[in-house]
């Protein structure tokens, strides 16, 4: 039986790239990459990747890109309504499955599955419950190339920002850090690998940081702005 046509939830980073590779190896029919972009900044949250770079990635992969722009001032209900409208658009194009690059966070998976159920589509997770070692060994072994675009400064020093994810990167990670960055230790931008028809061209424009209030003080993240 032929697999249902799917759209792939694309973050621009390593988990997305590896999950898309696995989905394609499994002969999944991926109709489009799908990215959620902040309406004010024009970037993916935390990864800080611009829509222009997302389009460049999609072109290098050879797939269309569908972008959902959200307004940060929307209520939760307004966001959900707009997202449902977007999913209806994808369903009209015969895409009835959503593919995600999530690894092992159960509450997040349950939330995605429930949202998809309410929209009348299936949710699938090509990398679910892969071990961290397997994910990183496979990602690096396949020849993917990714640069670190954001770090949680509580866990990683500034020197990790802008590093290429390779064996040396993994060896230098502090012992308390998840090597996949599953707890938000870092995020990345993938610019080459087996899903790409050509490398994605980019340059580093700037480095900056933001502080977010928390119960015990301010929490700082550092970012790399690419162009």
């Amino acid at each position: 039986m032929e697999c249902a046509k799917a759209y792939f939830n694309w973050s621009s980073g390593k988990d997305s790239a590896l999950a898309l590779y696995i989905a394609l190896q499994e002969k999944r029919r991926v109709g489009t990459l799908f990215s959620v972009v902040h309406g004010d900044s024009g970037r993916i949250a935390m990864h800080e990747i611009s829509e222009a770079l997302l389009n460049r990635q999609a072109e290098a992969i050879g797939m269309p890109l569908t972008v959902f722009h959200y307004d940060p001032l929307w209520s939760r209900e307004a966001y959900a309504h707009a997202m449902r409208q977007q999913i209806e658009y994808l369903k009209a194009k015969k895409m009835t499955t959503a593919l995600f690059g999530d690894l092992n966070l159960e509450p997040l998976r349950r939330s995605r599955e429930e949202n998809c159920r309410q929209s009348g589509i299936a949710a699938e997770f090509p990398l679910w419950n892969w071990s961290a070692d397997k994910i990183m060994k496979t990602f690096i072994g396949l020849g993917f190339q990714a640069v670190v675009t954001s770090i949680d400064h509580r866990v990683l020093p500034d020197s990790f920002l802008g590093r290429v994810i390779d064996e040396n990167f993994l060896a230098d990670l502090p012992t308390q850090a998840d090597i996949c960055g599953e707890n938000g230790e870092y995020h990345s931008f993938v610019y080459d690998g087996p899903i790409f028809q050509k490398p994605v061209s980019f340059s580093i424009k700037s480095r900056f940081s933001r502080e977010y209030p928390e119960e015990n003080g301010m929490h700082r993240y550092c970012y790399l702005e690419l162009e």
Side-chain angles (χ1 to χ4, degrees), residues 48-112:
E48 287 298 314
I49 300 303
S50 69
E51 188 171 338
L53 272 177
L54 290 171
N55 276 299
R56 216 175 295 166
Q57 273 186 322
E59 179 186 1
I61 292 170
M63 283 188 181
L65 173 70
T66 301
V67 176
F68 174 76
H69 300 94
Y70 74 93
D71 186 332
L73 297 180
W74 280 347
S75 65
R76 181 176 299 179
E77 292 75 17
Y79 180 96
H81 175 71
M83 180 61 78
R84 282 195 297 270
Q85 289 183 313
Q86 180 67 71
I87 300 307
E88 289 301 316
Y89 166 82
L90 296 171
K91 287 167 65 178
K93 293 184 174 294
K94 310 302 182 184
M95 291 179 238
T96 57
T97 300
L99 299 174
F100 297 92
D102 300 308
L103 308 181
N104 55 31
L105 298 178
E106 287 284 356
L108 181 58
R109 174 168 179 155
R110 288 196 297 270
S111 174
R112 296 203 195 283

Side-chain angles (χ1 to χ4, degrees), residues 12 42-44 47-51 53-54 149 188-189 226:
S12 80
R43 296 176 180 274
I44 285 187
H47 292 258
E48 287 298 314
I49 300 303
S50 69
E51 188 171 338
L53 272 177
L54 290 171
T149 58
S188 61
F189 174 77
L226 305 179

